[in-house]
Amino acid sequence: SKGSAKKNVRNSPNTGVLYIQVCYTGGFSESPDLEFEYADTDKWSAELSELYSYTEGPEFLLNRKCFEEEFRTHVSDKKWTELDVAQHRAHAMRLLDGLEVITREKRLKVSRAILYMVQGTFAECSSEAEVQHWMRYNIFLLLDVGTFTALVELLNMEVDNSAACSSAVRKPAISLADSTDLRVLLNIMYLMVVTIQQEDPADSPEWRGTRETFKTELGSPLYNNEPISVMLFGMVTKFCSGHAPHFPMKKVLMLLWKSILFTLGGFEQLQNIKVRKREELRLPPLPEDSIRVIRSMRAASPPASASDLIEQQQKRARREHKSLIKQDNLDAFNEKDPYKSDEPREDEDDNDDNDNSMEAEPFPMERDEVMPPPILHPTSERVNFPKGLPWAPKVREKDIEHFLESSRSKFIGYTLGNDTDTVVGLPRPIHESIRTLKQHKYISIAEIQIAKEDEFQKTPLSGGEEDVEMCSTELLYQGILPSLPQYMIALLKILLAAAPTSKAKTDSINILADVLPEEMPTTVLQSMKLGVDVNRHKEIIVKAISAILLLLLKHFKLNHVYQFEYMAQHLVFANCIPLILKFFNQNIISYITAKNSISVLDFPYCVVHELPELTAESLEAGDNNQFCWRNLFSCINLLRILNKLTKWKHSRTMMLVVFKSAPILKRALKVKQAMMQLYVLKLLKVQTKYLGRQWRKSNMKTMSAIYQKVRHRLNDDWAYGNDLDARPWDFQAEECALRANIERFNSRRYDNNQRNPDFLPVDNCLQSVLGQRVDLPEDFQMNYDLWLEREVFSKPISWEELLQ
């Protein structure tokens, strides 16, 4: 039902202008904002449950059986929860010894017993909270006795198992059974990383110390002379190359994501690193905390349906007292734009069937309702926000230079290059403009890093040694640098295979190896359950890959901008931009509200409660959640990645235009979540000037939303087409220049073999030069007398002149 319209009439307290607000009651327009809080991860219980496929359900009891057989053989009939710490430790050591046996079956049995411990010895627990308590206790115990190192060695052995790889390649259909050993090991490692990562105020000082030590070890080249993340990246590329199709890729990607998140840090840590780095470089503090600003923003209303639009048009036709309406709010009332032509527009909203998220929405009238109150920072000088706008404006040094050059050539007829201080001869309003621009000037960490790198390249001898902080990010970059292009291609291949818009192709990689059972379903109920499991499996893969890419891009950008540019350029070369647009070219509301989960089968609920009988109706109903957390998280991550790839890159912005991203992005604005809308609007803003005047006229609501929500760059002419910026561009030259800079950076910092011999240090010390052992050829020794006669005795030497 569409609901009835009611009018809300009131007088403005300040101006006396009459406002008329049309509100829709009962219709889709009043749907509440999605109660979604963007974070590094979902709740701990959700992250645990997503590790397991529903087809793995029977293995919970198998793990328990393996543990109890080992336990009864070596310990009394007591329960695990009744033993003391010494007995717990002794049994953990016994299990660790069992991992070193030669027999594969025996080793798998011990691995399953350890997995049952890591799963919280759930048979002795009566609630999910109790399971989680024993999980933490057992995991810290196992880590303390050195289990993780043994697991890494076993995993390396399984990855290099050529017999398993060759048998999997020959199989026509790969199932869950082909990856049993790998899955058990990855399950244990994932649960250990995720659990230790969780900080609890009740943790003992020993546990806190263990966490910090484990975090350092995980990011250092201690395991197999490389960080654990590099080893997992190697598994991803091996899987994508077709040499190991049995690898359980979802578990590998989830462990890779959690390892990167734990060792490098999440979004809060990124913000702290940014603040610290700005202090070290003596840059002004950030104008605001971006995470806090975004969390305080409210979503714009979703679009009206076609019937709502017709109803509004009829009301508009009957409305007579237009003079009472304040001119500024014409757009908000869906009134006719005075600058629009009277002819009907056939191309309005890109013909996307009114799928233009914000064009027909009834915006609230009050400025305060549209935007949250500004966030005040009493310590900063540049915080006089215009009322209602959430972000402080920013200006780059280039913008000030460009403005001054154009002003000088216009008023005086001369230019001064990069001089931003000389204002002689310019009118007073230009002086004020320059003062305003400088007041909001923002110098990024990246600009400082680029300037330093240019200095190192210009003066390789006198520039001095670069002080590189060997943090986890730097170690990871050094580890993945040799094969980074292959890693990016592999991740995007898997993302393409997991995207809901991808068609099943015979030549695409099989990402379902670790979800398909040995025996395919025979009943309708089993088929429905497997269908839910497969869809959920793909969603979790998309979630993990989007989080991995975003975290790496953000950390590399802070560590050094050319590390970020290297990764970003290879993502662009691997067609990441059209891939993400292809992902969003679907019914995004359906994807975000998908019900691909069976909550009664989720761990740890399924191991502590009696399972109800599943029916086709209960599977179809799904859960009662307003949206799927992981899918909304994935969408925001992919939008953020797209923003990072295209920001300040004209050639990549034009790719958005060429691939017709505007209607796809506008459909994504239907999701009523402020953060997602913000990143969509940012992507629309950068390409607005290239979409043509007709598009801008037809999409004034989107233009208004960009103005209200996206940060303003002073002097930015995003809202109108500038012929200079819209000129044909040599895109290849832009990317080639960037690539040359990146290669020079990588060569200077990481390639010790390729150094210019002219720049290598020369040994000028007489003692060390004469003391060097020189191997002379045999023929020289035979003709030594002749050489002495010719080179020494026959040549007169004036020793006095030599000494002077």
Side-chain angles (χ1 to χ4, degrees):
S1 65
K2 289 290 164 273
S4 58
K6 64 179 181 180
K7 287 186 180 178
N8 177 18
V9 182
R10 65 178 180 80
N11 284 312
S12 165
N14 300 325
T15 60
V17 177
L18 183 69
Y19 285 84
I20 304 173
Q21 184 172 356
V22 180
C23 304
Y24 284 88
T25 57
F28 185 52
S29 304
E30 283 195 347
S31 63
D33 287 12
L34 298 181
E35 294 297 324
F36 172 81
E37 186 168 333
Y38 186 73
D40 296 313
T41 61
D42 201 350
K43 297 189 294 291
W44 188 35
S45 56
E47 296 294 342
L48 295 182
S49 68
E50 287 180 356
L51 175 65
Y52 308 102
S53 305
Y54 295 139
T55 44
E56 286 181 87
E59 294 189 15
F60 289 124
L61 293 178
L62 184 57
N63 299 339
R64 174 186 170 186
K65 185 182 170 189
C66 291
F67 174 82
E68 288 176 349
E69 284 178 9
E70 288 280 329
F71 193 61
R72 290 201 185 101
T73 306
H74 300 99
V75 192
S76 64
D77 289 336
K78 281 186 177 181
K79 289 183 176 180
W80 173 260
T81 51
E82 295 170 356
L83 301 181
D84 59 25
V85 177
Q87 290 170 305
H88 283 156
R89 190 178 177 85
H91 190 62
M93 296 285 282
R94 199 175 297 117
L95 288 175
L96 186 59
D97 291 340
L99 286 178
E100 297 180 5
V101 295
I102 297 171
T103 320
R104 176 179 288 275
E105 290 74 21
K106 173 71 175 167
R107 209 165 52 230
L108 178 61
K109 204 172 178 183
V110 173
S111 300
R112 285 196 179 280
I114 292 174
L115 178 54
Y116 176 71
M117 277 181 67
V118 170
Q119 287 169 341
T121 51
F122 50 78
E124 300 171 26
C125 302
S126 56
S127 68
E128 293 176 50
E130 202 176 339
V131 171
Q132 291 180 1
H133 165 76
W134 280 103
M135 277 183 72
R136 285 182 72 79
Y137 174 82
N138 292 344
I139 283 169
F140 274 101
L141 172 71
L142 287 166
L143 184 68
D144 196 37
V145 298
T147 312
F148 196 84
T149 310
L151 292 169
V152 173
E153 289 172 6
L154 279 177
L155 184 62
N156 263 319
M157 197 169 73
E158 288 298 331
V159 169
D160 296 334
N161 186 346
S162 54
C165 292
S166 56
S167 99
V169 169
R170 287 196 302 271
K171 278 195 174 183
I174 301 170
S175 70
L176 205 63
D178 295 297
S179 59
T180 304
D181 293 351
L182 281 164
R183 281 188 297 105
V184 171
L185 294 173
L186 289 165
N187 282 344
I188 302 171
M189 292 168 74
Y190 176 87
L191 292 171
M192 290 181 81
V193 171
V194 169
T195 306
I196 292 167
Q197 185 182 357
Q198 294 286 327
E199 293 189 26
D200 191 333
D203 285 350
S204 64
E206 291 80 13
W207 279 15
R208 286 180 194 156
T210 303
R211 177 186 295 112
E212 288 306 312
T213 307
F214 182 55
K215 178 179 176 180
T216 307
E217 289 176 354
L218 210 59
S220 304
L222 293 180
Y223 304 108
N224 204 24
N225 295 324
E226 59 189 11
I228 192 81
S229 305
V230 179
M231 189 182 90
L232 296 170
F233 266 122
M235 289 183 72
V236 174
T237 47
K238 195 171 181 182
F239 171 80
C240 285
S241 65
H243 297 311
H246 65 298
F247 281 3
M249 207 26 58
K250 184 191 85 173
K251 295 182 192 297
V252 173
L253 289 167
M254 289 184 77
L255 178 56
L256 175 57
W257 167 35
K258 297 296 183 181
S259 302
I260 291 170
L261 180 62
F262 186 30
T263 53
L264 306 191
F267 302 129
E268 296 282 355
Q269 288 94 325
L270 275 161
Q271 188 75 3
N272 296 337
I273 295 169
K274 196 172 187 179
V275 169
R276 176 177 61 80
K277 288 217 165 194
R278 289 187 70 82
E279 285 176 0
E280 288 171 2
L281 295 170
R282 295 179 182 172
L283 292 172
L286 292 164
E288 69 276 298
D289 184 341
S290 54
I291 295 173
R292 203 176 301 164
V293 173
I294 292 172
R295 280 180 182 161
S296 67
M297 292 174 93
R298 290 171 51 191
S301 303
S305 64
S307 52
D308 282 343
L309 288 172
I310 294 165
E311 196 176 332
Q312 287 177 43
Q313 287 170 357
Q314 290 169 348
K315 287 181 180 296
R316 191 190 307 163
R318 291 199 297 270
R319 201 177 291 145
E320 294 175 359
H321 302 291
K322 292 183 182 176
S323 58
L324 294 175
I325 299 167
K326 191 175 180 183
Q327 182 71 23
D328 291 348
N329 292 297
L330 281 170
D331 276 345
F333 290 118
N334 289 309
E335 289 295 326
K336 188 177 289 187
D337 192 311
Y339 300 103
K340 291 179 184 173
S341 59
D342 291 327
E343 296 90 45
R345 292 188 304 276
E346 292 169 6
D347 61 338
E348 181 167 2
D349 296 324
D350 299 320
N351 294 321
D352 54 0
D353 301 324
N354 292 317
D355 218 358
N356 52 330
S357 167
M358 309 185 70
E359 272 58 89
E361 69 201 41
F363 269 86
M365 292 304 101
E366 295 86 10
R367 189 69 143 171
D368 293 338
E369 282 186 39
V370 176
M371 296 310 307
I375 297 182
L376 298 176
H377 293 252
T379 54
S380 176
E381 297 176 3
R382 298 183 285 138
V383 179
N384 300 320
F385 296 163
K387 190 184 177 206
L389 295 177
W391 304 101
K394 281 183 181 177
V395 182
R396 293 186 300 168
E397 184 74 24
K398 283 183 186 174
D399 298 331
I400 301 174
E401 288 173 13
H402 180 69
F403 176 73
L404 261 171
E405 286 298 274
S406 59
S407 300
R408 285 176 189 140
S409 60
K410 180 178 176 183
F411 289 104
I412 304 167
Y414 70 87
T415 56
L416 286 177
N418 296 334
D419 188 328
T420 57
D421 297 320
T422 307
V423 290
V424 177
L426 295 175
R428 186 168 295 280
I430 299 293
H431 291 207
E432 292 177 8
S433 300
I434 295 162
R435 198 178 309 120
T436 304
L437 288 173
K438 286 187 174 179
Q439 185 186 356
H440 294 286
K441 186 169 84 168
Y442 177 78
I443 301 169
S444 66
I445 295 170
E447 289 174 68
I448 304 289
Q449 289 171 340
I450 289 170
K452 282 186 177 177
E453 182 60 26
D454 288 345
E455 194 64 31
F456 278 122
Q457 296 292 351
K458 284 177 191 171
T459 56
L461 293 175
S462 59
E465 282 293 316
E466 184 182 13
D467 185 21
V468 181
E469 184 188 353
M470 296 308 289
C471 57
S472 299
T473 311
E474 183 65 33
L475 291 168
L476 178 59
Y477 183 77
Q478 290 180 15
I480 68 173
L481 177 61
S483 306
L484 188 138
Q486 293 91 309
Y487 296 155
M488 295 304 109
I489 291 168
L491 287 177
L492 293 183
K493 265 189 182 179
I494 300 169
L495 182 60
L496 176 63
T501 49
S502 294
K503 302 290 183 287
K505 292 180 185 173
T506 51
D507 59 340
S508 66
I509 49 177
N510 176 20
I511 55 169
L512 304 177
D514 54 330
V515 70
L516 297 176
E518 283 186 272
E519 296 176 6
M520 294 308 284
T522 52
T523 66
V524 174
L525 185 65
Q526 287 175 341
S527 299
M528 288 179 70
K529 180 183 164 189
L530 183 59
V532 170
D533 207 2
V534 165
N535 289 337
R536 173 177 176 267
H537 184 81
K538 288 182 175 179
E539 289 172 3
I540 295 166
I541 286 176
V542 173
K543 171 187 174 183
I545 292 176
S546 67
I548 289 166
L549 292 176
L550 181 62
L551 276 173
L552 287 179
L553 285 170
K554 287 188 78 67
H555 277 285
F556 286 160
K557 188 165 188 184
L558 270 181
N559 198 49
H560 200 290
V561 66
Y562 281 133
Q563 295 176 350
F564 159 81
E565 295 290 7
Y566 185 55
M567 179 179 165
Q569 194 163 60
H570 279 290
L571 284 173
V572 173
F573 291 164
N575 282 334
C576 184
I577 292 175
L579 172 54
I580 294 177
L581 293 174
K582 179 184 168 101
F583 180 89
F584 279 97
N585 195 17
Q586 60 169 312
N587 186 336
I588 208 73
I589 292 280
S590 299
Y591 185 71
I592 279 168
T593 55
K595 309 282 186 188
N596 291 316
S597 59
I598 308 167
S599 54
V600 292
L601 296 180
D602 283 342
F603 180 87
Y605 184 93
C606 64
V607 293
V608 291
H609 295 90
E610 195 68 36
L611 294 184
E613 188 180 349
L614 289 174
T615 61
E617 291 75 24
S618 66
L619 286 182
E620 279 181 350
D623 53 31
N624 298 320
N625 292 335
Q626 189 187 12
F627 56 90
C628 175
W629 197 96
R630 68 174 161 264
N631 288 357
L632 189 45
F633 175 76
S634 303
C635 287
I636 292 175
N637 286 346
L638 290 171
L639 287 168
R640 294 183 76 183
I641 292 164
L642 204 50
N643 269 292
K644 292 213 161 295
L645 296 182
T646 53
K647 189 175 182 181
W648 303 122
K649 302 287 187 303
H650 188 267
S651 57
R652 298 176 194 173
T653 302
M654 293 308 292
M655 285 176 78
L656 293 177
V657 179
V658 169
F659 290 124
K660 294 185 168 56
S661 65
I664 296 170
L665 292 168
K666 276 168 50 191
R667 280 198 293 276
L669 287 170
K670 278 184 152 188
V671 179
K672 204 172 177 197
Q673 205 282 323
M675 192 171 193
M676 183 162 167
Q677 286 184 351
L678 172 69
Y679 288 113
V680 172
L681 291 170
K682 279 186 170 189
L683 288 165
L684 285 169
K685 177 183 176 180
V686 294
Q687 56 177 315
T688 298
K689 69 172 87 169
Y690 309 114
L691 296 174
R693 185 176 298 174
Q694 186 59 49
W695 187 91
R696 295 194 292 274
K697 281 171 66 178
S698 306
N699 295 278
M700 287 310 294
K701 282 292 189 299
T702 304
M703 303 286 281
S704 300
I706 291 170
Y707 174 77
Q708 290 163 347
K709 291 184 180 294
V710 182
R711 186 193 301 278
H712 289 275
R713 294 268 172 182
L714 301 184
N715 277 15
D716 186 6
D717 58 348
W718 67 271
Y720 58 90
N722 186 325
D723 293 335
L724 286 174
D725 281 342
R727 68 187 183 277
W729 202 277
D730 188 356
F731 301 140
Q732 209 171 357
E734 191 180 348
E735 290 292 350
C736 284
L738 177 62
R739 189 173 190 175
N741 288 337
I742 295 165
E743 285 177 354
R744 279 197 294 269
F745 164 76
N746 283 335
S747 175
R748 180 188 67 78
R749 208 194 245 199
Y750 304 110
D751 198 352
N752 294 323
N753 302 325
Q754 298 287 329
R755 288 193 176 171
N756 190 327
D758 294 339
F759 294 153
L760 290 175
V762 178
D763 188 357
N764 293 320
C765 177
L766 196 63
Q767 286 181 327
S768 62
V769 170
L770 292 176
Q772 286 178 4
R773 178 178 173 79
V774 180
D775 292 324
L776 299 168
E778 286 184 19
D779 57 341
F780 177 81
Q781 293 176 6
M782 289 167 61
N783 301 312
Y784 179 59
D785 296 337
L786 290 172
W787 180 84
L788 271 176
E789 185 64 38
R790 188 179 69 240
E791 298 291 332
V792 182
F793 301 142
S794 64
K795 288 190 177 179
I797 298 171
S798 178
W799 295 104
E800 290 79 6
E801 286 181 21
L802 188 65
L803 290 171
Q804 287 172 2

